[in-house]
Amino acid sequence: EIVLTQSPGTLSLSPGERATLSCRASQSVSGNYLAWYQQKPGQAPRLLIYVASSRATGIPDRFSGSGSGTDFTLTISRLEPEDFAVYYCQQYGSSPRSFGQGTKLEIK
Amino acid sequence: EVQLLESGGGLVQPGGSLRLSCAASGFTFRSYAMSWVRQAQGKGLEWVSSISGSGTTTYNAESVKGRFTISRDNSKNTLYLQMNSLRAEDTAVYYCAKDRDIWGDAFDIWGQGTMVTVSS
């Protein structure tokens, strides 16, 4: 099973700042099949990015994904108030599909 | 509008059984693989089980293998999760989720979740 480790655990930033979230895999992710999700309290996760860098339908272009192999990054270029949430990465290149433990993005 | 609506959660004693349902609408249900993902209170996401569009192929996490069974009724646009021999560690919100495109893809649509509590 591929283990995903996200860092930092908590990121404290202000609106308008740039956020950089990391996801590192214990082995190479096949096909760069890496997704990012956003989850707000009491809500279901929402798909942001798939195949490492493709934005899902309706996702603003301030969200971008990059990386390959074992190291992936989610970047939010200019934080909006609604972006403060928990973010999860997920690999789906091999079974079982596994998630990282999450990064909480909080308002500074 | 594409929508998934779970039901069937509740309080059950250890060793008991529960069946979750997920009603789908707004897309061609039979064309997409579907999955269950759970989340314990204050914890991260854990993939539980997946089923192909036709229902002929299923896959379960080791933690639920032999206890949980995923199935679907394409005539009713409904996904199911039969949970037997429930344990306290199965307590979580259970989400159904749609594979974005191909089997084993990212999850592009999620339901609102249904709470399962295993306690005496």
Side-chain angles (χ1 to χ4, degrees), chain A residues 35 37 39 43-45 47 50 88 90 92 95-97 99, chain B residues 35 39 43 45 47 50 59 95 99-100 104-105 107 110-111:
Chain A
Y37 300 86
Q39 187 178 34
Q43 296 185 17
L47 178 65
Y50 61 96
Y88 294 95
Q90 179 210 17
Y92 53 101
S95 269
R97 288 179 263 188
F99 292 89
Chain B
S35 299
Q39 185 172 37
K43 302 296 184 182
L45 301 167
W47 167 77
S50 295
Y59 199 72
Y95 296 101
D99 279 24
R100 188 188 67 86
D105 209 330
F107 303 126
W110 296 66

Side-chain angles (χ1 to χ4, degrees), chain B residues 16-18 38 60 62-69 82-90 94:
Chain B
S17 298
L18 210 57
R38 67 185 180 184
N60 293 316
E62 285 297 323
S63 59
V64 305
K65 200 166 285 185
R67 301 188 299 122
F68 290 11
T69 302
Q82 177 66 44
M83 304 185 294
N84 298 331
S85 303
L86 282 161
R87 307 167 179 167
E89 54 265 35
D90 296 318
Y94 284 72

